[in-house]
């Protein structure tokens, strides 16, 4: 009996982890700047903050999907929905132009804009998660 529970835990955990990894890959594609270059090569704190917020922002609805799903497939579907919502948000926000351009400000390393991006991502994640608690 315990081995079946452990296998269930591992299945859900590894799937959630895989979905987060897929999100990390897709987020870097969706944003118009190179997140990994800005963070790892240019030590851009604003990019790191925004990216970190995006990770938390997707983890929150992923948690909601884990706790509210009625089956493994149900979880996987809602996990993908969580990713799509977060990616659509990032795509739209990073395409704003003018004085509110996240693309320009984050690329320039403007820390308050990175913090705002993080908080907005977390906010969307919370709304995303709350909407899943059917």
């Amino acid at each position: 009996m315990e081995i079946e529970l452990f296998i269930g835990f591992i299945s859900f955990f590894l799937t959630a982890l895989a979905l987060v990894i897929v999100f990390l890959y897709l987020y870097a594609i969706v944003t118009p700047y190179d997140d990994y270059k800005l963070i790892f090569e240019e030590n851009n704190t604003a990019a790191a903050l925004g990216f970190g917020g995006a990770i938390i922002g997707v983890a929150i609805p992923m948690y909601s999907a884990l706790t509210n799903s009625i089956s493994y497939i149900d979880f996987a579907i809602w996990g993908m929905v969580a990713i799509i919502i977060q990616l659509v948000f990032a795509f739209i926000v990073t395409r704003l132009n003018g004085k509110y351009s996240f693309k320009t400000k984050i690329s320039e390393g403007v820390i308050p804009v990175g913090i705002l991006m993080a908080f907005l991502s977390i906010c969307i994640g919370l709304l995303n998660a709350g909407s899943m608690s059917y």
Side-chain angles (χ1 to χ4, degrees), residues 35-80:
D35 294 281
Y36 292 108
K37 181 180 180 190
L38 289 173
I39 295 166
F40 291 102
E41 294 176 23
E42 298 179 16
N43 298 315
N44 185 315
T45 303
L49 287 165
F51 199 52
I55 295 167
I56 294 169
V58 80
I60 294 167
M62 197 71 61
Y63 170 81
S64 182
L66 281 165
T67 59
N68 291 308
S69 294
I70 58 174
S71 69
Y72 175 80
I73 298 298
D74 189 44
F75 157 67
I77 291 168
W78 283 110
M80 289 184 282

Side-chain angles (χ1 to χ4, degrees), residues 93-108:
V93 168
T94 58
R95 296 311 188 279
L96 297 175
N97 290 314
K99 71 179 190 177
Y100 300 115
S101 172
F102 280 81
K103 175 185 175 183
T104 303
K105 300 292 186 189
I106 287 178
S107 295
E108 292 172 354

Side-chain angles (χ1 to χ4, degrees), residues 2-3 20 25 31 41 47 50 52 70 79 89 102 105 107 119 134:
E2 288 81 23
I3 192 73
V20 170
Y25 174 76
T31 56
E41 294 176 23
I70 58 174
F89 163 76
F102 280 81
K105 300 292 186 189
S107 295
F119 286 168
Y134 40 87

